[in-house]
Amino acid sequence: MKLYEYLGKKLFHRYDIPVPQSKMAESSEEAAEAAAELGDVVIKSQVLSGKRGKAGGIAFASNPGEARTEAERILNMRLNDLTVEKLLVEEKLQIEQELYLALTVDGALRCPVVLASLDGGMDVEEVAEDRMIKWPIDVSIGLQDYMTREICRKMGVSGALQKEFIKLLPKLYKMFRELDAELAEINPLALTPDGLVAADAKVTIDDDALYRHPQLPRVKEKTDLELKAEELDIAYVELEGDIAVMANGAGITMATLDMVQHYGGAAANFLDFGGGADVERTAQALELLLGTNPKVLLINIFGGITRCDIVAEGFVKVRESKGIDLPVSFRMVGTKEAEGRAILEKVGIKTFNSMDDAVRHAVELTGAS
Amino acid sequence: MSIFINKQTRVLVQGITGKQGSFHTAQMLEYGTNIVAGVSPGKGGQSVEGLPVYDTVFAAMEKEPVDASILFIPAPFAKDAAYEALSAGVKIIVLIPEHIPLHDAMDIMAYARKQDAVVVGPNTFGLVSSGSSKIGIMPNRYFVPGPVGIVSRSGTLCYEIVGHLTEHDIGTTTVVGLGGDRVVGLNFIDVLSRFEEDPETKAVILVGEIGGSSEEEAAAYISTSMKKPVIAYLAGRSAPPGKRMGHAGAIIERGRGTFESKVKALNAAGVEVAGLPTEVPALIKKILS
């Protein structure tokens, strides 16, 4: 779950990481009031998208009038295809230098890694490899001061700034671990006359650990259907095409989408209803798909722990109760394959043996309708 | 021959009395796996499929020392169960559950390193040495002995490929599921290096997907350290960036982990990448002949 900048900064504040003085605004009037209180301000659109500055979603204002005009403009814009509902109005910092600091998870090393650079304020991909210091952390000992000193040495940082890092990094690590973060990024980390201040916040919390953080706000990034799928514990992603796809297993679902593209079609979604689904779950997944109004339905079942007869039963159940009047391409092999086929044949549905044939047939069906 | 496990490997099932645990215990026994006991806290003294059930891993180990343990434990409790097995001295831990919190996975890996143990998964279908031992949840009938080693990030897609091989009478030595999460124990290189040393394995299939950099790291290893032929299939060519495609690890983030980057790295290492799963048997036949 990605957090908006203002939510990330609230967490930083809770962990004693310095952030600028700020006010939230949902109207130009509120932005003007905030500016009256804070003086020179920066007005920042709160959307879950990077590159806000380049897209015109960040503006400076030196008086309430300017703040009102800029806030009006930003609230009315489409920012990287998102609407802006909230603005963060912050005191303008006196920035001497922009740095970069983040904690993330390194899958290859299987542990957290500190990323630090003197080249902050720019797109992280644009930072030269040798200017980005990476330091893996063994979670059994955690972040120790010697690590911070070493990171500073590699960056060429000493003296007062090193002391600032030794104060700040353990707080970021504590937050990263305690809140089950996947990413806690400060870019830029601003060096001001008062020391280091987090001028931005990009925090992502592990979805699988949200259950143990009831106090954290829930940010809605997903579409309604994606949320419904999440409730049902079905992996679902909306795409742009017209062939609704349903398969059992993430890898094979991806491969099915690839094959749809290979044969010139376009998938409407990714839907993995997992292994070992029962009739109810199969029916729920199907109902979810039908709600997207696709042109063609493509079902790819390789029965391992998933039983073909159960999937067939779920399909027939939905067909009888809700009606499925769109063309279907059904592939079904594996556990209880013969039984599953028999159930589908009774209602006049033919199944394919191979994934190739089923996908090709689905793509042909989109052309026919 | 096989890697990691064989007919003699003594196996424990943690969470044996649950629905998944008991079902897959029966399946593994049918395959020929040498399961010696199960654990379910509070259910000690019962039996499942004729196997004794103990309250704790330590209690099981006192009576029936094991080499490996497979966990059918709900994600929120998986860290505790994995720690228990590692602490009791089990050297191979197979973590079946999906949705184990990322930080729990990192904690488990750190402790496993200290205990010098191998962790397979989480979010894996397990591993099988064809014809002798299966510690996992894959369908029994596709895994027949032969000369090909397989290492895969995903389950059903791997079965699909093994299914195509079986149709062409090509069997496998060992098939290892790394798991679909961002942090997993075994990686491609750990498994490739074992296949390289296994005299029975003549060729290797790597089944990867978008996200992370493990395919790129595998490619670098193959080009410097492997003599045996490797081919690959990768899922996710059509996936949009920024979306998790079912697996927690299957996401293109900040321009990294793309299909193109992986194909390029593998091709540079001399690894042919099949365009479709159906093309895999022909590529393998070409190599083996």
Side-chain angles (χ1 to χ4, degrees):
Chain A
M1 179 180 70
K2 285 184 195 157
L3 296 180
Y4 291 105
E5 176 191 4
Y6 77 96
L7 293 173
K9 282 181 169 165
K10 268 189 192 167
L11 296 178
F12 283 173
H13 182 65
R14 195 190 299 163
Y15 280 84
D16 201 26
I17 295 166
V19 293
Q21 294 278 336
S22 70
K23 289 256 162 189
M24 289 304 293
E26 292 185 27
S27 67
S28 53
E29 208 37 56
E30 285 176 10
E33 282 166 23
E37 192 174 317
L38 296 168
D40 275 4
V41 290
V42 53
I43 300 169
K44 304 176 88 179
S45 55
Q46 296 299 291
V47 289
L48 295 173
S49 157
K51 304 188 169 66
R52 285 174 300 171
K54 278 180 202 156
I58 295 176
F60 292 96
S62 50
N63 58 59
E66 273 178 39
R68 186 180 290 111
T69 312
E70 289 297 337
E72 185 75 33
R73 179 183 65 77
I74 296 173
L75 285 168
N76 284 317
M77 75 186 291
R78 294 282 294 175
L79 207 156
N80 300 335
D81 217 30
L82 299 165
T83 53
V84 182
E85 285 165 7
K86 283 191 170 72
L87 301 171
L88 178 65
V89 184
E90 280 183 346
E91 60 165 322
K92 191 180 168 203
L93 295 172
Q94 256 186 282
I95 299 178
E96 291 165 4
Q97 198 181 347
E98 294 191 321
L99 315 170
Y100 177 93
L101 185 64
L103 267 156
T104 185
V105 173
D106 188 314
L109 298 173
R110 310 170 184 94
C111 67
V113 60
V114 177
L115 299 172
S117 177
L118 292 179
D119 301 341
M122 58 166 100
D123 214 338
V124 64
E125 287 118 81
E126 287 164 23
V127 177
E129 195 85 355
D130 62 336
R131 299 275 295 166
M132 180 63 81
I133 308 307
K134 294 182 185 171
W135 194 273
I137 298 175
D138 180 343
V139 290
S140 60
I141 62 169
L143 180 86
Q144 301 295 326
D145 285 350
Y146 80 85
M147 299 175 186
T148 310
R149 288 196 298 271
E150 197 55 30
I151 291 163
C152 284
R153 186 178 70 90
K154 285 172 180 279
M155 279 197 292
V157 163
S158 58
L161 187 51
Q162 178 184 307
K163 285 207 182 89
E164 283 283 307
F165 270 101
I166 287 174
K167 266 200 307 197
L168 188 134
L169 193 48
K171 295 172 186 169
L172 191 65
Y173 182 75
K174 186 168 190 282
M175 178 187 127
F176 179 76
R177 289 283 287 166
E178 285 183 359
L179 298 183
D180 279 294
E182 289 181 11
L183 175 72
E185 182 185 72
I186 310 175
N187 185 25
L189 175 62
L191 180 59
T192 73
D194 301 326
L196 290 172
V197 179
D200 197 359
K202 201 179 272 178
V203 177
T204 308
I205 307 293
D206 176 14
D207 287 337
D208 289 335
L210 282 176
Y211 73 92
R212 55 191 179 198
H213 299 289
Q215 82 287 2
L216 284 179
R218 296 299 189 259
V219 174
K220 180 179 178 288
E221 188 191 355
K222 295 172 170 139
T223 67
D224 289 342
L225 273 170
E226 285 173 346
L227 283 175
K228 173 93 173 98
E230 197 176 271
E231 265 171 44
L232 298 170
D233 194 26
I234 289 168
Y236 177 80
V237 178
E238 268 176 53
L239 302 169
E240 315 255 285
D242 50 11
I243 302 175
V245 177
M246 158 170 176
N248 59 327
I252 200 160
T253 310
M254 267 189 273
T256 309
L257 302 188
D258 295 347
M259 206 179 265
V260 166
Q261 189 187 58
H262 178 85
Y263 287 119
N269 66 279
F270 170 102
L271 189 155
D272 161 22
F273 69 116
D278 57 15
V279 173
E280 195 47 40
R281 191 175 164 77
T282 306
Q284 283 166 339
L286 258 173
E287 280 169 18
L288 191 81
L289 270 194
L290 294 173
T292 65
N293 297 317
K295 261 164 110 178
V296 173
L297 188 55
L298 168 61
I299 304 177
N300 182 12
I301 304 302
F302 192 104
I305 50 171
T306 305
R307 281 168 49 179
C308 292
D309 56 337
I310 296 219
V311 174
E313 261 179 58
F315 180 84
V316 170
K317 189 180 155 191
V318 173
R319 193 182 137 106
E320 278 169 3
S321 63
K322 303 263 152 112
I324 297 177
D325 48 10
L326 71 168
V328 181
S329 185
F330 216 126
R331 185 267 185 134
M332 185 175 259
V333 294
T335 311
K336 303 266 178 190
E337 173 182 323
E339 291 87 338
R341 280 171 191 243
I343 293 168
L344 290 174
E345 264 159 31
K346 249 192 247 165
V347 296
I349 303 264
K350 206 168 102 325
T351 55
F352 291 93
N353 254 326
S354 92
M355 180 168 154
D356 265 73
D357 292 343
V359 172
R360 253 192 301 232
H361 183 59
V363 174
E364 278 163 19
L365 286 171
T366 56
S369 61
Chain B
M1 274 291 283
S2 53
I3 62 170
F4 295 112
I5 58 170
N6 57 38
K7 196 116 205 132
Q8 280 70 49
T9 305
R10 294 167 59 86
V11 180
L12 180 74
V13 178
Q14 285 176 262
I16 194 170
T17 56
K19 197 174 145 213
Q20 294 274 321
S22 57
F23 174 77
H24 288 293
T25 297
Q27 294 288 306
M28 286 187 278
L29 287 170
E30 192 185 296
Y31 194 79
T33 307
N34 183 21
I35 305 179
V36 296
V39 167
S40 272
K43 306 275 171 75
Q46 298 184 5
S47 82
V48 171
E49 300 288 329
L51 298 165
V53 177
Y54 298 92
D55 281 319
T56 72
V57 177
F58 282 89
M61 291 288 270
E62 281 167 19
K63 301 277 185 197
E64 298 282 357
V66 301
D67 309 300
S69 181
I70 180 166
L71 277 72
F72 295 98
I73 304 285
F77 313 105
K79 181 164 92 170
D80 181 48
Y83 276 177
E84 184 186 6
L86 290 166
S87 171
V90 182
K91 292 299 176 198
I92 298 176
I93 311 282
V94 180
L95 292 173
I96 300 297
E98 190 178 356
H99 301 308
I100 293 182
L102 190 59
H103 285 258
D104 287 4
M106 290 192 287
D107 290 337
I108 293 169
M109 300 317 157
Y111 189 46
R113 204 173 305 142
K114 191 164 161 263
Q115 297 295 89
D116 199 21
V118 166
V119 177
V120 187
N123 193 11
T124 175
F125 59 88
L127 70 170
V128 51
S129 287
S130 295
S132 60
S133 182
K134 176 185 103 162
I135 308 183
I137 59 171
M138 51 295 239
N140 289 354
R141 63 178 166 141
Y142 297 100
F143 295 85
V144 295
V148 179
I150 303 183
V151 55
S152 174
R153 274 171 76 182
S154 59
T156 314
L157 178 58
C158 183
Y159 312 160
E160 172 82 27
I161 286 166
V162 173
H164 286 302
L165 293 177
T166 313
E167 268 174 40
H168 290 81
D169 292 322
I170 303 166
T172 46
T173 47
T174 299
V175 179
V176 182
L178 301 180
D181 282 359
R182 278 181 67 184
V183 168
V184 293
L186 282 182
N187 63 27
F188 281 123
I189 297 172
D190 297 325
V191 181
L192 290 171
S193 61
R194 299 287 195 109
F195 279 137
E196 179 71 4
E197 281 163 23
D198 173 40
E200 299 283 309
T201 301
K202 304 297 178 203
V204 180
I205 302 172
L206 181 156
V207 184
E209 62 193 30
I210 53 158
S213 57
S214 56
E215 289 80 5
E216 286 86 340
E217 286 145 23
Y221 175 81
I222 292 165
S223 70
T224 57
S225 312
M226 271 188 90
K227 291 199 180 69
K228 285 184 187 170
V230 181
I231 66 149
Y233 176 78
L234 303 174
R237 168 179 249 155
S238 64
K243 294 280 185 183
R244 268 183 220 289
M245 305 303 275
H247 283 154
I251 180 167
I252 299 166
E253 283 173 307
R254 302 172 171 215
R256 305 224 173 134
T258 64
F259 181 85
E260 290 72 24
S261 145
K262 291 171 191 296
V263 171
K264 198 175 146 202
L266 287 165
N267 284 342
V271 176
E272 215 170 323
V273 180
L276 298 170
T278 38
E279 293 170 13
V280 169
L283 287 180
I284 280 290
K285 273 191 178 164
K286 196 172 76 185
I287 287 172
L288 291 176
S289 64

